[in-house]
Amino acid sequence: MTEQPITIYNHKQHPVTLNALRLTNYARAQIIEAIDSTQQFYYLFFYKGKFITAKTTSTLKRFSFIAKAFSYGHVHHAPHPFIKAFLSANPTMKMINNQQLLRKLSDKYSKHDQAYILTMFESFIKKQQLFDHLKSMFYEDRREGHLLSAYQTIQIMKDFTPNHSFVKSLINDRIFKKYFTMYQDQNEKLFLHDVIESEKIMFNDPEQYFNYYMDHLKAEDRLIELTMIQYHQLKTSPTEAILKSFEKNFPKALSDEDLLKLYDELASYNSFNPLQNRLLKKCIEFGHLNQLSSIVLKHDHDLNAQDAKQLTEIITRQTDHNLAAHPQGLQRLLIKLIEFSPQEADRLLYPFVSNLLGQYNINELHNWLEPFRDLNPDSNVLAKFDRIYTLYNDLDHVQSLGELYFEFKQWDQALDCFSMASELRPDDSKPLKWLSKTYLEKGLKAESEVYQKMYVDLQKQA
């Protein structure tokens, strides 16, 4: 899988092309780290999956929000399906300055959300400026009698500047006593009245709050984040229910290949049988033979009779697949299939030998086929290949070698052999006949007709 370039528009509304490096998901916030052609770093900020703005910097402040996001969040390195999903969901992304950012937040988000989002930009906006803005929001709410909203801002400031005297003096202020108890106990009232704080708790303790967290994300239609959290849970504590939900909620913007990549990643973290089986089934369902061979090699899957039957049909009915990308995995896969269905050995071996014959040298393929000799010593396909191997450097039998290449649809190698045979025996019409047949198979009708005429003329002279 290759990552598509990212296009954002800078402050002058000029397009800038970026390459993604990594994505982190961190309690309502998502950040993509990217780089441009001059090696300038960009950070693309999303809140609940929606693009906010992008910032540039060469260094990140220690202990800042973004530093914690990449240290404690769920990080995915490019290229990755989740990066693709966020970019597909946000096709137009424009950078805005700090004043525009404040206006955008004020227009689109509650004060509670605004306060949390602003702390995400600690590495890009002066901390004192951010603190003053949060402080102003707190005073405005308190002045208007919105004590819960005011205390929510204090809680965000506590994470932002935990040692500041202003925060310390207010966190235990008796005017907020009932809210202090609610946050300290992390009881049901907190989950009802402070969605940001409760979501941070759920993110940091998925084992205890997983189902509640999933219901919350689903209710807010945050399906990309939902699948990201489920993906993380499948890495650490997989269950069949989570696996089914993960596939059901899989973002529509992602492809079958994206789903397979995620299953392959997950299967490398644990040996959870339903996950391993789902990976195998999906590869068979989509007919991805090369990926399946790689997976068989990597995870050492066992096939059952039904899997073997499906794979045999996929292999034998396809004529244009590439079977040479993962030769070791293909070898193991083919051995498993022939063990299940010895009677299908030649049907299975033929497309593999034909494909590999065109991309590997004769000695490599001879060694690759060695395990199949014990499995099926009477194989007609192996006998024909062995004949090719024997005649490979034998000029006296170059015509026979060409006919064997023809049987395996190796048209170019067959043409070389027939051309050489014609040069060695100019009075023999047989090579000309086969040259005509081979060019016709290649779709070169004019060349075929030339050799057909030469064949007829030589026949007349005989």
Side-chain angles (χ1 to χ4, degrees):
M1 163 183 184
T2 56
E3 198 75 67
Q4 289 185 339
I6 303 171
T7 300
I8 65 169
Y9 293 86
N10 64 18
H11 298 106
K12 296 181 180 179
Q13 298 305 301
H14 295 157
V16 179
T17 300
L18 308 174
N19 289 314
L21 298 177
R22 54 181 179 160
L23 158 73
T24 184
N25 180 44
Y26 185 61
R28 295 169 79 88
Q30 298 81 41
I31 305 169
I32 293 177
E33 182 182 64
I35 196 167
D36 69 9
S37 59
T38 67
Q39 304 302 298
Q40 172 67 63
F41 281 85
Y42 286 71
Y43 292 90
L44 284 61
F45 289 85
F46 302 80
Y47 186 65
K48 300 198 296 184
K50 302 297 183 183
F51 179 73
I52 301 294
T53 189
K55 296 288 186 180
T56 61
T57 188
S58 56
T59 57
L60 298 176
K61 292 180 180 177
R62 292 180 64 194
F63 311 117
S64 64
F65 183 99
I66 191 171
K68 288 188 285 188
F70 279 106
S71 295
Y72 305 113
H74 303 157
V75 178
H76 306 279
H77 292 272
H80 200 277
F82 288 138
I83 297 177
K84 176 181 173 182
F86 276 104
L87 298 178
S88 297
N90 295 272
T92 303
M93 296 181 287
K94 298 178 181 179
M95 297 178 69
I96 53 179
N97 61 35
N98 293 341
Q99 288 301 316
Q100 292 170 323
L101 173 63
L102 291 175
R103 286 198 297 271
K104 179 177 182 176
L105 298 183
S106 178
D107 290 341
K108 293 190 173 184
Y109 296 97
S110 68
K111 280 187 179 179
H112 195 193
D113 284 326
Q114 290 178 53
Y116 184 71
I117 294 171
L118 284 173
T119 64
M120 293 163 56
F121 294 93
E122 182 183 346
S123 287
F124 310 92
I125 302 175
K126 290 181 180 179
K127 191 162 188 173
Q128 186 62 49
Q129 184 179 346
L130 290 172
F131 184 83
D132 289 344
H133 196 83
L134 294 173
K135 190 175 177 181
S136 176
M137 293 171 69
F138 164 78
Y139 278 128
E140 183 178 342
D141 275 333
R142 194 176 71 170
R143 187 168 53 250
E144 295 175 357
H146 302 147
L147 296 185
L148 175 58
S149 180
Y151 198 67
Q152 288 172 340
T153 302
I154 288 297
Q155 287 294 325
I156 289 173
M157 295 174 78
K158 185 184 74 170
D159 287 343
F160 182 55
T161 54
N163 297 318
H164 198 286
S165 58
F166 177 80
V167 175
K168 286 183 174 182
S169 67
L170 287 170
I171 202 76
N172 295 314
D173 192 307
R174 60 187 179 85
I175 194 175
F176 300 118
K177 183 178 180 180
K178 65 176 180 179
Y179 302 125
F180 173 80
T181 302
M182 179 177 76
Y183 280 86
Q184 188 178 46
D185 295 345
Q186 295 186 358
N187 56 31
E188 290 184 7
K189 287 185 178 180
L190 174 62
F191 282 76
L192 182 65
H193 293 298
D194 192 332
V195 66
I196 292 178
E197 186 65 24
S198 61
E199 193 164 325
K200 287 192 291 184
I201 293 169
M202 291 186 286
F203 181 87
N204 290 316
D205 190 1
E207 292 292 338
Q208 181 174 349
Y209 298 103
F210 182 77
N211 291 331
Y212 191 96
Y213 199 7
M214 295 305 95
D215 291 342
H216 170 70
L217 292 173
K218 197 176 295 185
E220 294 196 349
D221 200 29
R222 292 158 59 188
L223 296 186
I224 301 177
E225 293 169 81
L226 172 66
T227 53
M228 291 176 77
I229 297 297
Q230 289 175 328
Y231 172 89
H232 182 74
Q233 195 71 0
L234 285 169
K235 281 172 58 176
T236 56
S237 305
T239 68
E240 192 138 17
I242 298 173
L243 185 59
K244 288 179 180 178
S245 180
F246 174 76
E247 189 167 306
K248 179 181 178 182
N249 294 302
F250 195 67
K252 291 182 174 59
L254 300 183
S255 65
D256 295 342
E257 286 78 8
D258 295 321
L259 179 59
L260 284 176
K261 176 180 171 62
L262 293 175
Y263 276 148
D264 193 15
E265 285 182 0
L266 289 169
S268 67
Y269 284 104
N270 56 64
S271 57
F272 183 56
N273 282 336
L275 176 59
Q276 301 280 345
N277 291 335
R278 190 65 57 90
L279 173 63
L280 189 69
K281 295 291 185 187
K282 286 297 175 184
C283 282
I284 294 172
E285 178 184 336
F286 300 140
H288 291 186
L289 296 177
N290 280 329
Q291 188 162 4
L292 179 60
S293 65
S294 175
I295 289 164
V296 167
L297 180 63
K298 190 187 303 182
H299 305 302
D300 197 26
H301 283 292
D302 288 325
L303 301 174
N304 59 36
Q306 184 179 357
D307 295 333
K309 183 179 179 180
Q310 283 183 272
L311 275 171
T312 299
E313 291 306 311
I314 290 170
I315 290 169
T316 54
R317 72 168 176 255
Q318 292 187 17
T319 58
D320 59 349
H321 51 278
N322 178 6
L323 298 170
H326 302 285
Q328 288 179 295
L330 286 168
Q331 185 189 65
R332 187 176 297 181
L333 175 63
L334 194 53
I335 288 171
K336 288 176 181 289
L337 290 174
I338 292 174
E339 286 174 342
F340 268 105
S341 307
Q343 73 280 5
E344 300 283 5
D346 273 356
R347 283 184 70 210
L348 286 163
L349 279 168
Y350 175 81
F352 281 85
V353 172
S354 178
N355 195 278
L356 295 173
L357 194 59
Q359 300 192 46
Y360 286 83
N361 71 48
I362 198 77
N363 291 318
E364 288 176 326
L365 184 49
H366 184 268
N367 293 334
W368 189 87
L369 287 169
E370 194 60 39
F372 302 102
R373 301 184 192 284
D374 292 333
L375 282 175
N376 197 302
D378 300 323
S379 167
N380 188 43
V381 170
L382 289 178
K384 288 180 179 179
F385 171 79
D386 288 343
R387 182 72 174 148
I388 291 176
Y389 185 75
T390 302
L391 300 178
Y392 187 67
N393 291 313
D394 187 348
L395 294 180
D396 291 334
H397 296 88
V398 70
Q399 172 66 31
S400 297
L401 181 61
E403 291 175 24
L404 289 164
Y405 276 128
F406 185 93
E407 284 197 52
F408 285 108
K409 300 183 180 181
Q410 297 304 304
W411 313 125
D412 291 338
Q413 289 158 294
L415 287 173
D416 289 342
C417 291
F418 297 141
S419 296
M420 186 177 295
S422 182
E423 291 176 14
L424 292 172
R425 291 182 289 278
D427 296 331
D428 188 352
S429 63
K430 189 176 182 180
L432 299 175
K433 177 182 178 181
W434 281 90
L435 282 164
S436 177
K437 287 176 61 175
T438 308
Y439 274 116
L440 191 61
E441 290 290 346
K442 281 175 65 72
L444 300 173
K445 188 176 180 181
E447 287 84 347
S448 175
E449 290 175 350
V450 168
Y451 281 102
Q452 176 64 22
K453 185 176 184 304
M454 291 172 64
Y455 167 73
V456 172
D457 289 346
L458 192 57
Q459 284 282 88
K460 290 178 180 177
Q461 296 172 18

